């Protein structure tokens, strides 16, 4: 049973007549815990009795652990929850740039939703980043609950308050700009040339993520899918996102305390099991990829001209931004060649927007959900993910639809070739191989 005792105050090294009360209670391991600063004997004893009651009920939380600061526990949590390198880097950025300046020295028991919600509304960052910061804080506080540092997570399940006057119409406009019309994709690809332009085209018509495209090895291009279909076989070329080394990760390596130790650029498994997949390739793209592999001397399909991996920022700055946004012409000077100017094609376009573009095309041509989710590498929610599966007929319909989008865009532009490598001229029907969409060029046409 808990009991209380006086604690006399000391002034100038001498005990005074003033005192407070300290309680002693029995902890789960049999040792004695103490807590000081109570104004009366009864309040001290009541507090101690409450601790022992919580211990008997199995819901006791050590007061010393509750007073641990958020920063101290966050370091402990980060060490105990290892993730992919890029995820660790993003978490440390959120902690160091947004969370720690406000909450690093706050005791865990002092958190409440009102203060956190008020804080996140005033963050000097976009709303998505603010949401990620709150989500990370909630995950850490849930870890504190699980490790019995606090009894409840006051952030769990709460909905953030958004700033008054936010404009939904502006968000809708932004969403509209996250995909590209096929004519724009073709113009951008033509402008960038066969190697880099094909990376753009492949992203828009297959949905490869940036890291997946940058990590694509030639051994995983134009593999074959073969399935029984209609008394024969359905066959089509595929791009494989390798389950072991299918994504190029780029992030800052970190010490246990969050200090940066250098840039990491390496191959890793895809972020989840759904992203390791075989993507069916439409005929026109298969022909372009085959010709590219014949010319390209490097093992990775979309690497730099010297054979090294692209850094995303370099690829975007040197190629995507000037090609999409336009650039000023440069006159010839000593040490610099003349450079033509480019008119804008689609300002602000990104490789991520091109992945959005592929999924938008799939929706446009009515790809069935079972196949749409598989090809995009998304996890399909609900029981239908268990009961519905892609069929060869679905796959053929998708390939025909993507081929039609490409051909219509080429016709709208008045083009017959891309980089002189693909033609809209169709081979005679009797010369086409079975179970291949009746569109596109033949290998003989590409040999020119």
């Amino acid at each position: 049973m808990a009991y209380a005792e006086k604690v006399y105050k000391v002034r100038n090294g001498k005990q005074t007549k003033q005192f407070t009360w300290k309680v002693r209670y029995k902890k789960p391991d049999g040792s004695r815990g103490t807590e000081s600063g109570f104004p009366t004997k009864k309040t001290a004893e009541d507090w101690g009795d409450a601790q022992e009651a919580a211990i008997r009920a199995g819901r006791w939380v050590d007061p010393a652990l509750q007073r641990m600061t958020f920063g101290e526990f966050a370091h402990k949590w980060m060490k105990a929850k290892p993730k992919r390198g890029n995820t660790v880097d993003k978490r440390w950025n959120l902690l160091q740039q947004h969370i720690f300046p406000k909450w690093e020295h706050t005791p865990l028991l002092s958190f409440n939703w009102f203060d956190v919600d008020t804080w996140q509304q005033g963050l000097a960052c976009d709303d998505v980043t603010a949401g990620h910061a709150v989500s990370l804080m909630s995950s850490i506080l849930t870890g504190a609950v699980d490790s019995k540092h606090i009894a409840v997570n006051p952030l769990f399940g709460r909905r953030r308050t958004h700033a008054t006057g936010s404009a939904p119409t502006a968000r809708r406009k932004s969403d509209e700009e996250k995909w590209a019309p096929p004519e724009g994709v073709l113009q951008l690809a033509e402008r960038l040339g066969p190697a880099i332009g094909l990376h753009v085209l492949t992203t828009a018509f297959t949905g490869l993520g940036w890291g997946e495209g940058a990590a694509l090895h030639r051994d995983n291009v134009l593999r074959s899918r073969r399935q029984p279909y209609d008394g024969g076989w359905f066959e089509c070329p595929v791009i494989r996102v390798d389950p072991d080394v299918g994504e190029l990760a780029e992030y800052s390596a970190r010490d246990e305390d969050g200090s940066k130790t250098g840039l990491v650029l390496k191959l890793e498994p895809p972020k989840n099991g759904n992203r390791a997949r075989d993507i069916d390739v439409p005929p026109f793209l298969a022909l372009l990829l085959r010709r590219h592999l014949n010319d390209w001397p490097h093992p990775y399909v979309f690497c730099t001209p010297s054979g090294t991996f692209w850094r995303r920022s370099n690829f975007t700055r040197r190629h995507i931004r000037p090609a999409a946004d336009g650039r000023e012409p440069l006159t010839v000077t000593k040490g610099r060649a003349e450079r033509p100017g480019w008119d804008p094609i689609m300002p602000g376009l990104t490789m991520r927007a091109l992945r959005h573009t592929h999924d938008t095309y799939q929706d446009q041509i009515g790809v069935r959900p079972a196949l749409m989710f598989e090809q995009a590498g998304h996890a399909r929610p609900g029981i239908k993910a268990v009961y519905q599966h892609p069929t060869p007929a679905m796959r053929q319909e998708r390939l025909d639809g993507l081929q039609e989008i490409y051909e219509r865009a080429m016709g709208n532009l008045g083009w017959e070739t891309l980089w002189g490598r693909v033609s809209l001229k169709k081979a005679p029907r009797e010369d086409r191989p079975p179970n291949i969409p009746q569109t596109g060029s033949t290998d003989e046409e590409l040999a020119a």
Side-chain angles (χ1 to χ4, degrees), residues 319-365:
H319 300 291
I320 297 299
R321 288 280 55 80
D325 301 348
R327 71 183 185 191
E328 296 295 327
L330 293 178
T331 57
V332 62
T333 60
K334 185 177 180 180
R336 186 182 72 189
E338 184 178 10
R339 187 189 73 180
W342 284 343
D343 292 331
I345 293 176
M346 190 172 176
L349 186 70
T350 64
M351 294 297 283
R352 180 177 178 83
L354 289 170
R355 176 164 159 79
H356 286 222
T357 294
H358 170 256
D359 219 26
T360 301
Y361 290 170
Q362 290 199 114
D363 197 36
Q364 174 182 318
I365 60 179

Side-chain angles (χ1 to χ4, degrees), residues 4-64:
E5 57 188 32
K6 292 179 180 178
V7 178
Y8 287 90
K9 295 183 179 180
V10 176
R11 185 178 295 114
N12 297 325
K14 294 182 179 181
Q15 180 176 302
T16 68
K17 294 182 178 181
Q18 296 178 322
F19 60 88
T20 57
W21 291 88
K22 176 172 69 176
V23 64
R24 294 186 182 274
Y25 61 98
K26 191 174 183 179
K27 297 172 69 174
D29 60 2
S31 62
R32 283 291 176 180
T34 63
E35 188 75 13
S36 303
F38 296 96
T40 67
K41 180 178 181 179
K42 186 176 187 320
T43 55
E45 290 177 341
D46 287 347
W47 188 91
D49 291 340
Q51 302 307 303
E52 293 187 346
I55 291 170
R56 290 191 296 271
R59 51 181 172 78
W60 179 73
V61 178
D62 190 336

Side-chain angles (χ1 to χ4, degrees), residues 367-398:
V367 177
R368 307 300 175 87
L371 180 59
M372 178 187 294
F373 279 84
E374 177 209 80
Q375 294 289 281
H378 295 152
R380 187 182 180 188
I383 193 63
K384 295 301 183 184
V386 177
Y387 280 89
Q388 294 181 349
H389 309 280
T391 67
M394 294 179 191
R395 296 187 187 281
Q396 187 69 67
E397 186 178 11
R398 172 182 173 274

Side-chain angles (χ1 to χ4, degrees), residues 188-207:
L188 190 64
E190 177 74 17
R191 174 174 283 181
L192 287 168
I196 296 172
L198 186 57
H199 191 176
V200 166
L201 201 62
T202 301
T203 302
F205 280 87
T206 66

Side-chain angles (χ1 to χ4, degrees), residues 2 31 48 82 104 108 152 165 178 187 198 222 225 281 285 348 368 376 412:
S31 62
E104 182 175 10
L108 294 172
V152 296
K178 289 179 181 176
Q187 289 173 317
L198 186 57
L222 301 184
R225 184 191 302 278
V281 179
L285 187 57
R368 307 300 175 87
N412 291 340

